[in-house]
Amino acid sequence: MTGTPPRRRHSPAVYRRRRLVLLIAILAIAGVVWLLIAQPWRGWGAEGTDAGSTPQTQSTATALPAVTGQQQTPAPGETGAVEGAVVEGDGPTPSATPGATPTAQPCESGDIVVEPQSTQDSYTGAENPQFSISLTNNGPDCTLNVGTSAQAFVVSSGSDTWWRSTDCQSEPSDMVVLIGAGQTVTSAAPLGWDRTRSAVGTCDDPTRPRAPGGGASYHLAVEIGGIASTQSKQFLLY
């Protein structure tokens, strides 16, 4: 007798494997369909955009901290001052916020003009000289450390340095602020010099040598944020 031999039936294990493969394929197809409909990556991109576009608080140059140090003895008609200066901007800008992080680039020294100023060109024996700083940003918006640790006033006569504001400074600190393009920052209150020679360790010495008067010429130089004035300011003592 001829004919086709009977087909062998597969074992149950073969059918189980086939059903498993089919189930995996169905799940994969369902997952792809869900991704195409839900598109969860759009939410991720939006979150990243929101985080990146959140503006950072700017510390704007409106007022610089006063340097604390030796208290000067005020002359008649003067308010007296510690060895430092407070500086404020010439326009309505937000106040500096502690801990804020400016986003502009650091100022370039070539863009910043620092000028020393005195309230008078000459002072009589009863008057103590009063000093201030003028700072102008001729470049783009930038940041500068204008804290008490970055301020310095120096008085000299010829090659002889008579007074440094940093000699008796206490608790210096940093303050990085934003200075707008074209902004001028000047001292809100002048800094007084008591006409004595300064030196570290003599801040409380009442016998410090007194600068000669009689029309003697002195020069004021200043520095702020690591940028020094290119010219000094001359004044006379009588």
Side-chain angles (χ1 to χ4, degrees):
M1 183 176 61
T2 62
T4 303
R7 298 178 60 183
R8 295 179 57 189
R9 296 186 62 184
H10 297 293
S11 65
V14 173
Y15 291 107
R16 285 196 298 269
R17 286 196 296 270
R18 288 179 178 178
R19 286 194 294 269
L20 180 60
V21 171
L22 179 60
L23 178 60
I24 293 175
I26 293 174
L27 291 175
I29 293 173
V32 171
V33 172
W34 179 84
L35 288 174
L36 292 176
I37 295 175
Q39 297 184 1
W41 52 84
R42 288 188 175 180
W44 302 335
E47 291 176 1
T49 301
D50 293 342
S53 61
T54 301
Q56 293 180 321
T57 303
Q58 297 278 344
S59 294
T60 306
T62 58
L64 284 76
V67 178
T68 56
Q70 175 194 0
Q71 183 69 37
Q72 305 293 340
T73 301
E78 295 178 357
T79 60
V82 295
E83 296 193 341
V86 177
V87 185
E88 65 179 13
D90 59 352
T93 48
S95 300
T97 302
T101 303
T103 57
Q105 296 298 313
C107 296
E108 297 287 344
S109 59
D111 294 333
I112 302 297
V113 177
V114 176
E115 297 178 301
Q117 297 179 336
S118 61
T119 55
Q120 300 173 195
D121 291 331
S122 62
Y123 298 89
T124 65
E127 298 174 317
N128 285 340
Q130 302 288 306
F131 307 137
S132 60
I133 295 176
S134 173
L135 182 156
T136 301
N137 179 17
N138 291 325
D141 293 357
C142 60
T143 60
L144 188 68
N145 181 9
V146 293
T148 58
S149 62
Q151 302 179 33
F153 296 76
V154 178
V155 173
S156 60
S157 180
S159 60
D160 185 12
T161 299
W162 266 91
W163 179 75
R164 291 187 181 89
S165 62
T166 55
D167 282 344
C168 296
Q169 180 179 343
S170 64
E171 299 181 357
S173 62
D174 295 334
M175 178 181 283
V176 179
V177 298
L178 176 69
I179 302 176
Q183 183 180 7
T184 295
V185 178
T186 56
S187 299
L191 163 66
W193 173 42
D194 64 357
R195 296 189 180 214
T196 63
R197 185 185 294 276
S198 71
V200 177
T202 66
C203 301
D204 298 322
D205 186 355
T207 65
R208 295 202 303 188
R210 188 171 177 83
S217 173
Y218 295 84
H219 286 261
L220 169 68
V222 296
E223 179 178 323
I224 187 168
I227 303 175
S229 55
T230 56
Q231 294 183 341
S232 62
K233 175 64 171 70
Q234 183 184 29
F235 60 96
L236 305 178
L237 292 186
Y238 287 94

